[in-house]
Amino acid sequence: MYRRMNLQKHTARVLRAHDLLCPQRTLLVACSGGTDSLVLLDVLDFLRAADGAQLVCAHYEHGIRGAEARADARFVAEFCAARGIPFVLGTGDVPAYARAHGHSIETAARICRYDFLHRVRAERGCDAVVLAHHADDLAETVLLRILRGTGPAGLVGMREWDGLHLRPFLAVTRVQLARYAAERGLTPRHDATNDTLDTRRNRVRHELLPYLAHTYNPAARDALTRLSGLAAEEEDLLTHLAEDAYGCAACPGGLSLAVLRTLHAAMQRRVLRLFWMRTTGTAQDFSYLHEERLRALVSADHAVRVEMQRGWYAAARYGVLTLMQLSPMKVPLENEEILLPLSREYAIINFQGMEFHLRRLSRMTADDWRRAQERTAVYADPAALSALVLRTRRAGDYMRLPVGRRKLKDILIDDKIPREERDTLPLLAIAGTSEIFWIAGGRRSVLAPVTIPGEPVVRIAYDEGDDSQ
């Protein structure tokens, strides 16, 4: 089916479908020197000569196979030089990276290789990274994910085009690529590590898939690739529906628990995955376990929180599911306090991530009144106060309110301050006491009210950015 000209025509159709078959495009071709990637480079070079895209070839030497790997790099470099294809070589120490990050060699190699390819693509201004993954690779990937316990999205395996990576051979088999190489007189390099059984993928390739084909279904590979194609179509539809559901559930601070509870469990999972990805900026390491932790919060009947990965945690409170990560600047400071005598002006930078200013004013302006209403500033009669301290909460703290004296703990609960924020909330307290004068961004005490217009006042304000006042 995919003899020489057919494979070239097939690849041209794929590139044309994604607007990548023209001289104005530049493709970064990943080439190891093996059969699959050498055939890819040869086909794209043929298309380049026929008014196709410009090419840059990238080869990554993993630091695993010593002299043999360096010979592979020289081979690819010479192949490119003979054809006038720009060549970029990357090198790394994958075993050291694997040890440092606790990865398998296979995983570390993939991370380092893709990092190199993405950097070169950005530096060279390439429109796509072209990879030689084929139908057998796709079947292996789907089977590996099934064995690992994937969800429907994992069944997609690999896409022909994901906006960054192009895989024009996903409908082509390994045998067909080898036949093309023989017909073209190509002499690919052979990586002996692909023959060993010390990695899971190699065992699937050399043992499990042949066993399934021999014992259960001679077309096991085709069945797996067909499953991947069907999953991709359904994934696209469900992703669109999940976007709509996410928009309905989104609310200030997170997702509405009431809306989430109306969703089917399958849609809940997708919305929660979107929530995680958009809040943290990555879908990495978001496992079934973490998905289930979030789902447990959706049905919780009281405020509760759970630990997630990489310092994040999730909480269900006041009808909202939230994701938060404590800033390094926002840690409880149990014994630290900053004394604020009211006799002079000064600024305190970055107390719990905020910038505080104390200034003496001859009178309050309209802008001062606005800031007081927004609770970003507090105003006091300096004659009615002694020194204040800036600190975080301590046992026994209280505040005098118009309704009388109340525990700070009860006030924070009434004001719906999240539990995890209470120990890091900046407070102004009367020096040497447990009495709180102002909760930054919240209530103030009845102490030292400003009652006479035109009299001098003290203003203490905070900003989470620069203070332009």
Side-chain angles (χ1 to χ4, degrees), residues 244-375:
D244 290 343
Y246 179 87
C248 292
C251 65
L255 299 180
S256 164
L257 291 172
V259 174
L260 288 173
R261 288 166 184 154
T262 68
L263 301 178
H264 187 280
M267 190 55 63
Q268 256 187 21
R269 294 180 191 280
R270 288 179 174 272
V271 170
L272 293 174
R273 185 169 288 272
L274 270 176
F275 182 42
W276 172 263
M277 183 174 64
R278 293 184 178 179
T279 304
T280 67
T282 180
Q284 186 177 1
D285 300 330
F286 189 71
S287 67
Y288 172 79
L289 172 63
H290 297 112
E291 201 172 69
E292 284 301 291
R293 286 180 180 176
L294 290 185
R295 290 194 65 227
L297 292 182
V298 173
S299 57
D301 56 5
H302 59 279
V304 65
R305 87 176 194 185
V306 297
E307 297 297 325
M308 301 294 284
Q309 62 270 50
R310 299 200 312 277
W312 287 86
Y313 62 85
R317 60 195 179 211
Y318 309 121
V320 177
L321 178 68
T322 63
L323 281 170
M324 298 189 70
Q325 186 179 40
L326 283 179
S327 163
M329 292 186 297
K330 292 190 174 184
V331 296
L333 303 173
E334 295 180 3
N335 299 312
E336 183 173 341
E337 60 183 37
I338 299 175
L339 183 65
L340 304 182
L342 304 185
S343 57
R344 60 187 179 89
E345 297 187 357
Y346 41 101
I348 302 102
I349 307 300
N350 288 335
F351 184 86
Q352 296 298 84
M354 297 180 181
E355 180 175 321
F356 284 83
H357 300 260
L358 186 149
R359 292 182 181 173
R360 297 180 65 87
L361 307 175
S362 59
R363 60 185 178 84
M364 291 182 69
T365 65
D367 188 56
D368 291 326
W369 283 112
R370 175 186 59 78
R371 293 197 72 177
Q373 293 301 314
E374 293 175 356
R375 296 188 173 185

Side-chain angles (χ1 to χ4, degrees), residues 47 77 149 273 394 447 458:
L47 296 177
R273 185 169 288 272
R394 297 172 185 170
L447 295 174
V458 168

Side-chain angles (χ1 to χ4, degrees), residues 9-26:
K9 288 180 179 178
H10 166 79
T11 305
R13 283 195 298 270
V14 172
L15 267 65
R16 190 178 296 111
H18 302 294
D19 191 28
L20 293 171
L21 188 68
C22 61
Q24 291 73 36
R25 301 296 190 190
T26 301

Side-chain angles (χ1 to χ4, degrees), residues 55-262:
L55 305 179
V56 176
C57 177
H59 177 92
Y60 187 73
E61 204 278 278
H62 299 83
I64 297 174
R65 295 164 43 241
E68 187 178 355
R70 292 190 290 274
D72 291 348
R74 287 194 300 272
F75 170 81
V76 178
E78 291 167 2
F79 185 92
C80 290
R83 299 180 178 220
I85 301 172
F87 174 75
V88 181
L89 173 64
T91 60
D93 187 345
V94 166
Y97 182 91
R99 288 191 300 271
H101 295 83
H103 295 309
S104 68
I105 290 291
E106 185 180 21
T107 298
R110 183 173 62 251
I111 292 172
C112 293
R113 182 170 62 251
Y114 273 84
D115 179 66
F116 162 70
L117 292 172
H118 295 160
R119 283 190 284 108
V120 175
R121 185 203 67 82
E123 292 166 1
R124 296 296 184 106
C126 299
D127 296 284
V129 177
V130 192
L131 304 168
H133 295 127
H134 47 71
D136 297 79
D137 292 325
L138 177 57
E140 292 162 11
T141 298
V142 172
L143 188 51
L144 279 165
R145 292 185 178 180
I146 290 173
L147 294 173
R148 199 163 54 229
T150 189
L155 295 177
V156 176
M158 294 178 280
R159 290 183 180 269
E160 183 177 85
W161 171 241
D162 61 12
L164 175 60
H165 308 101
L166 180 71
R167 300 177 176 90
F169 289 170
L170 281 187
V172 184
T173 67
R174 183 179 287 114
V175 170
Q176 290 163 343
L177 294 175
R179 185 182 302 136
Y180 176 96
E183 291 176 354
R184 289 281 289 163
L186 301 176
T187 56
R189 299 284 295 176
H190 178 67
D191 182 351
T193 62
N194 290 328
D195 300 329
T196 65
L197 299 179
D198 57 350
T199 67
R200 185 177 301 178
R201 180 174 287 273
N202 283 357
R203 291 194 295 275
V204 167
R205 175 179 302 165
H206 298 300
E207 294 182 337
L208 183 55
L209 264 175
Y211 176 77
L212 292 175
H214 176 73
T215 308
Y216 292 98
N217 182 359
R221 183 201 63 224
D222 296 338
L224 289 166
T225 56
R226 185 167 60 250
L227 172 62
S228 176
L230 293 172
E233 292 177 356
E234 295 190 2
E235 177 67 17
D236 290 341
L237 171 63
L238 291 172
T239 296
H240 177 73
L241 296 175
E243 289 282 357
D244 290 343
Y246 179 87
C248 292
C251 65
L255 299 180
S256 164
L257 291 172
V259 174
L260 288 173
R261 288 166 184 154
T262 68

